[in-house]
Amino acid sequence: MTGLRERYRALPPHPFRRRRDVLMGLAGAMLSGMETVTGRARKVRLPDAADGTRTLEVVERTVVARDENVVALTFAAADGRSLPTWHPGAHLDIELPSGRMRQYSLCGDPQHPDRYRIAVRRIPDGGGGSLEVHDALQVGATVRTHGPRNAFPLTVPGYGSPTRRLRFIAGGIGITPILPMLGLARRLGVEWSMIYTGRSRDSLPFLDELDRYGGHVEIRTDDAAGLPAADDLLGDCPDGTAVYACGPAAMLSAIRARLIGRAGVELHFERFAAPPVVDGTAFTVTVASTGRTVEVGADETLLGALNRSGVAARYSCQQGFCGTCRTRVLAGAVDHRDGLLTDPERAAGQMLICVSRSADGADLTLDL
């Protein structure tokens, strides 16, 4: 009985919403890149400690790719207290010293409750977040966060999922949310396999940590084997498989397209930036404080249009789950496309401008 109890303690809580891809028909849509970097940097301040904000200190810094473009940072609580627990797939909303807010997947071991680890690839033209992490976050530096949140939960076969096996697909820095999932799958004795792809072995982080999994993990690089097709990534993938994928846009699009019509296969994937606008209608938004109007195109987000026009608006995840861009609507009907706001909040005139938009092209007036 003791062993069984320990196995259940290792399980993530059953997710409120499962991240199954129910929009397979949109496989041709363009997906965004690996870091939320669109638009100019904004000063985004987290609330103070009264509502759970924590200060983390960098206690270890390690280069984890041979090309030296990926650095792993390990954090501990600056006040020495214990940290909230987390489960594979979780991320941290981190406020960097500049005030930029960025999300980074936790890639350490959830069984070490006093440490959080992230890994960040240096992106020279990526909007500043990755450059700041690489250049400014040395050992002893501090950042602020509310703690872990999970938008990419792992539902384990036999423990709340009808599937029987797991297939993990990671491309480059997309290994970060996948890495903790491997450890959990092994501890629970779940059948699983993985393919890890990238330009070259020098560009792939954490290769040494993957050695412990032996033949469960296949390393495939473009310089040796060419660009992988969807079938290469999915492998055998019989019915009853749950696929967890994180990587470049082209990789995710190919996987989604290949699985259209496969009702017996679940696809879960991590996307770190704004999804494409689907079935959008052009509309006009007015900033109440200045009277300025901005035209929002049918294929762009409201947040994107404001940034393009130089109107300051807070944002972070750009996917409708963090709430940073929550804005009050003073006039107009809203097409809510987020999964965060409650019905009372929507009725009170709130919207998330990163994904939600005007209903039927009606004009909106915002309290920015």
Side-chain angles (χ1 to χ4, degrees):
M1 287 295 293
T2 301
L4 184 59
R5 284 197 299 268
E6 292 302 319
R7 285 160 68 91
Y8 271 94
R9 287 195 190 104
L11 289 171
H14 191 68
F16 177 72
R17 286 185 301 274
R18 295 175 62 194
R19 298 280 293 190
R20 182 174 180 177
D21 184 11
V22 295
L23 298 176
M24 289 290 195
L26 304 178
M30 293 297 294
L31 302 179
S32 298
M34 288 302 301
E35 185 184 2
T36 304
V37 295
T38 303
R40 66 181 66 180
R42 305 292 183 195
K43 279 282 187 178
V44 181
R45 283 291 168 194
L46 288 170
D48 289 328
D51 70 345
T53 300
R54 291 174 174 81
T55 300
L56 302 178
E57 180 181 350
V58 180
V59 296
E60 184 178 341
R61 177 187 169 103
T62 308
V63 175
V64 291
R66 294 175 188 168
D67 66 5
E68 299 186 353
N69 284 330
V70 181
V71 63
L73 302 179
T74 300
F75 298 97
D79 58 8
R81 297 182 181 181
S82 60
L83 295 171
T85 59
W86 60 281
H87 296 279
H91 71 273
L92 288 178
D93 299 302
I94 291 179
E95 182 188 1
L96 299 172
S98 67
R100 295 182 180 94
M101 185 80 79
R102 294 293 185 264
Q103 287 80 33
Y104 297 108
S105 295
L106 286 166
C107 60
D109 187 346
Q111 294 186 309
H112 295 164
D114 59 341
R115 294 289 187 270
Y116 290 155
R117 185 178 71 168
I118 65 171
V120 181
R121 180 176 295 282
R122 186 181 187 94
I123 304 175
D125 57 350
S130 73
L131 297 180
E132 185 173 358
V133 169
H134 276 253
D135 296 340
L137 294 189
Q138 304 297 324
V139 172
T142 59
V143 297
R144 298 208 304 166
T145 182
H146 278 304
R149 290 189 298 150
N150 204 328
F152 189 38
L154 176 67
T155 304
V156 181
Y159 298 84
S161 170
T163 56
R164 299 185 294 278
R165 65 191 61 82
L166 296 168
R167 174 66 169 177
F168 297 108
I169 304 172
I173 196 63
I175 188 63
T176 52
I178 300 293
L179 195 58
M181 296 182 181
L182 307 183
L184 178 59
R186 185 171 74 167
R187 288 195 297 272
L188 296 175
V190 176
E191 180 184 347
W192 66 274
S193 64
M194 175 186 166
I195 185 169
Y196 185 21
T197 70
R199 299 186 308 276
S200 66
R201 291 185 69 91
D202 286 350
S203 71
L204 296 179
F206 299 118
L207 285 179
D208 56 338
E209 295 189 18
L210 292 174
D211 286 343
R212 72 188 71 168
Y213 299 113
H216 285 280
V217 176
E218 175 190 356
I219 308 297
R220 177 188 170 117
T221 58
D222 300 346
D223 59 352
L227 291 172
D231 287 338
D232 298 320
L233 298 170
L234 290 165
D236 185 34
C237 201
D239 287 351
T241 300
V243 177
Y244 284 79
C246 186
M251 185 187 86
L252 296 180
S253 292
I255 294 168
R256 298 177 75 197
R258 186 65 182 87
L259 290 179
I260 291 176
R262 291 290 306 277
V265 176
E266 289 186 2
L267 172 60
H268 308 253
F269 62 90
E270 178 82 292
R271 176 169 48 209
F272 287 89
V277 175
V278 178
D279 297 330
T281 302
F283 62 97
T284 300
V285 62
T286 300
V287 180
S289 60
T290 64
R292 182 173 179 178
T293 61
V294 175
E295 301 294 327
V296 183
D299 59 351
E300 68 177 335
T301 65
L302 171 50
L303 173 63
L306 293 173
N307 284 334
R308 169 178 54 77
S309 302
V311 177
R314 300 190 308 166
Y315 71 92
S316 183
C317 77
Q318 300 186 80
Q319 299 181 70
F321 66 79
C322 78
T324 302
C325 69
R326 185 189 306 250
T327 303
R328 189 158 65 105
V329 182
L330 302 178
V334 177
D335 174 12
H336 292 282
R337 300 188 175 192
D338 66 278
L340 178 69
L341 295 180
T342 64
D343 288 340
E345 287 173 328
R346 293 176 178 183
Q350 296 184 27
M351 74 176 295
L352 300 188
I353 60 176
C354 66
V355 291
S356 298
R357 52 197 303 109
S358 163
D360 300 324
D363 294 346
L364 296 180
T365 301
L366 301 182
D367 180 12
L368 284 170

